[in-house]
Amino acid sequence: MGMRRFQAFKFELRPDGHQQRQMRCFAGACRFVYNRALALQKARYEQGEKRLGYAGLCKSLTEWRHNQETAWLADAPVHPLQQALKDLERAYANFFAKLADFPRFKKKGQSDSFRYPDPKQIKLDQGNSRIFLPKLGWLRYRNSREVLGEVRNVTVSQSCGKWFMSIQTEREVEPPIPKGGAVGIDMGIARFVTLSDGTFYAPLNSFKRHEKALRKAQQALSRKVKFSNNWRKAKARIQRIHARIGNARRDFLHKISTTISQNHAVVCIEDLQVRNMSKSAAGSAEAPGKNVRAKSGLNKSILDQGWFEFRRQLDYKLAWNGGWLVKVPPQNTSRTCPACGHVSADNRQTQAQFVCVECGFEENADVVGAINVLRAGHARFACEVSGIPPAAGTHRSDLGVALCHA
């Protein structure tokens, strides 16, 4: 019996001038509908009225499309406008579930996008590297890979002056068989990822590599007259640098996460709260923080390396390969001796070296952390077998097969 897999394929579009103008208008219309619906919800809340659901917002959208003042909304396809309302509904649901902050108004030029949800209106011609989208017609795209499966929806987005499309597909695949055993992972600054078998990957630090060029470009922008032609050119230069930083980081994370997920059936990783770890230490005027400069550098390194995105990629790639991601509590993973089990902060007097004060065991500190993470993964499985419910974060109840054979 096969399993269903959802996957997205992203390509750069090659629109003509008229299509670019249309896409800017469509993205602007979706942004307008989202912001107007959010303002309507806020106004209803202030008046003590009940929040409108998706169906109620769609009725308002119909009124806006037929209103003389906003009749230009009818020039955009209706389905992407309705999807903007669905995005707002999802943002509210995430807020009430305490998964995100309260929805904010969208700004022009930030995450400009729109989505076509109906596959019946989409025609993909891979042989001629083109796609048909409602009210845009046939668009050419850079055909860098084959799209597998049935098209479910298409999202068009703009980034750094270029237009892209993401095609989400659904297909049936054979149940994957995981390869390899179990491994523990320790994440750090000097070494991005260290495995319990001693393998490690040095960090890329793509932002740090382009920081000087970015600073010069931002200084040049500050000397330009706002909204002048030279100001727009300088702003585009900054956008290109940011795009280069993001592309390099994503490529780096994809390569490492793919290698690890293809060679291991179970990956044990610390359940680090990246948002809390990268919080500012500046404090307030009444209670200023300590070591603010050092903490700022640490925060920048954590965010530059993309810890959260790496864990997200590992999770779905392991699932695709039939493996499991096991999240374990990070407490004392860097202070526990793997030889005798002694726990002490004195075991790690330097950042790089671990020396047990009890038995004298010496090893690289990151390798010790990875070994302890792997053992914590085994312990989590033992708790599950004995009937003690494990903490949140363990994925799939049958992970014991791979752990027992690691």
Side-chain angles (χ1 to χ4, degrees):
M1 183 178 176
M3 56 180 288
R4 306 299 291 176
R5 175 182 293 183
F6 291 91
Q7 187 173 358
F9 298 84
K10 190 172 182 179
F11 304 95
E12 182 184 345
L13 290 171
R14 304 173 66 182
D16 57 32
H18 177 64
Q19 289 171 329
Q20 287 190 48
R21 288 189 291 273
Q22 282 185 302
M23 289 192 290
R24 282 197 294 269
C25 290
F26 295 171
C30 290
R31 182 176 60 251
F32 174 85
V33 168
Y34 182 95
N35 288 342
R36 184 156 186 176
L38 179 56
L40 175 63
Q41 298 283 42
K42 282 189 169 184
R44 291 179 63 87
Y45 175 77
E46 291 170 358
Q47 295 169 7
E49 298 179 15
K50 188 178 179 181
R51 180 169 61 92
L52 287 175
Y54 172 68
L57 290 176
C58 283
K59 289 182 181 179
S60 300
L61 174 60
T62 304
E63 295 174 2
W64 300 338
R65 284 166 58 86
H66 290 92
N67 190 319
Q68 188 174 358
E69 293 182 358
T70 55
W72 50 272
L73 286 175
D75 296 335
V78 67
H79 284 177
L81 298 181
Q82 292 173 345
Q83 290 297 298
L85 299 178
K86 280 201 170 184
D87 290 342
L88 178 61
E89 186 70 14
R90 191 178 302 112
Y92 264 102
N94 290 338
F95 168 70
F96 288 119
K98 296 183 179 180
L99 298 174
D101 294 332
F102 189 79
R104 291 183 292 182
F105 292 102
K106 293 188 176 184
K107 292 179 64 177
K108 182 179 179 181
Q110 291 184 359
S111 302
D112 283 344
S113 65
F114 52 96
R115 183 169 60 254
Y116 291 98
D118 188 359
K120 296 178 183 178
Q121 297 182 337
I122 301 165
K123 300 174 186 175
L124 179 62
D125 183 5
Q126 297 191 65
N128 293 310
S129 303
R130 61 178 190 163
I131 187 171
F132 180 87
L133 297 174
K135 293 203 174 183
L136 285 175
W138 287 101
L139 286 125
R140 299 192 67 80
Y141 68 94
R142 295 190 181 275
N143 195 353
S144 56
R145 61 186 299 195
E146 182 184 2
V147 176
L148 305 175
E150 300 176 2
V151 176
R152 307 304 300 172
N153 60 66
V154 173
T155 301
V156 179
S157 59
Q158 185 188 34
S159 177
C160 302
K162 295 182 179 180
W163 287 93
F164 300 87
M165 69 170 178
S166 181
I167 305 173
Q168 189 189 51
T169 65
E170 182 183 3
R171 71 182 190 273
E172 190 167 331
V173 296
E174 291 298 321
I177 300 175
K179 299 178 182 178
V183 70
I185 285 183
D186 181 84
M187 304 194 69
I189 301 301
R191 290 182 173 186
F192 172 58
V193 166
T194 304
L195 306 185
S196 54
D197 59 8
T199 308
F200 71 92
Y201 297 90
L204 178 66
N205 294 329
S206 59
F207 179 83
K208 191 174 183 180
R209 292 187 177 191
H210 296 86
E211 193 170 12
K212 185 176 180 181
L214 183 62
R215 182 173 64 250
K216 287 186 176 180
Q218 289 171 335
Q219 289 172 345
L221 177 68
S222 68
R223 293 191 290 267
K224 303 291 187 291
V225 177
K226 201 168 187 179
F227 302 121
S228 66
N229 285 337
N230 286 335
W231 180 85
R232 296 181 195 280
K233 292 177 185 176
K235 187 177 180 182
R237 190 176 300 115
I238 293 174
Q239 289 178 328
R240 285 195 297 271
I241 296 173
H242 276 298
R244 197 174 300 124
I245 292 170
N247 290 338
R249 181 186 294 121
R250 277 188 294 273
D251 178 72
F252 174 75
L253 295 177
H254 273 298
K255 286 177 178 176
I256 295 179
S257 58
T258 297
T259 301
I260 294 175
S261 62
Q262 288 179 345
N263 295 310
H264 299 93
V266 176
V267 175
C268 305
I269 192 170
E270 291 176 301
D271 191 12
L272 299 173
Q273 301 300 316
V274 178
R275 176 180 291 184
N276 295 337
M277 292 178 66
S278 57
K279 277 186 178 179
S280 173
S284 61
E286 294 78 16
K290 298 179 180 179
N291 298 325
V292 176
R293 186 184 294 271
K295 184 65 169 66
S296 174
L298 177 64
N299 293 351
K300 187 184 293 186
S301 297
I302 292 174
L303 297 174
D304 186 14
Q305 293 179 12
W307 288 8
F308 183 86
E309 174 64 12
F310 174 72
R311 192 171 70 184
R312 186 192 72 85
Q313 291 181 10
L314 262 185
D315 198 358
Y316 79 80
K317 288 181 181 180
L318 282 165
W320 280 1
N321 291 314
W324 300 270
L325 182 70
V326 183
K327 300 174 186 176
V328 302
Q331 286 79 13
N332 292 325
T333 53
S334 62
R335 298 179 177 183
T336 305
C337 176
C340 68
H342 180 67
V343 180
S344 174
D346 297 332
N347 288 345
R348 191 172 179 178
Q349 296 185 357
T350 64
Q351 190 67 26
Q353 196 65 19
F354 181 97
V355 181
C356 179
V357 296
E358 187 73 17
C359 68
F361 175 80
E362 293 187 31
E363 183 56 88
N364 180 275
D366 294 330
V367 175
V368 169
I371 293 173
N372 288 327
V373 168
L374 177 59
R375 290 185 176 179
H378 280 278
R380 179 164 291 238
F381 168 67
C383 290
E384 187 170 305
V385 171
S386 63
I388 303 173
T394 304
H395 287 227
R396 304 174 187 86
S397 60
D398 54 347
L399 59 85
V401 177
L403 278 173
C404 287
H405 292 87

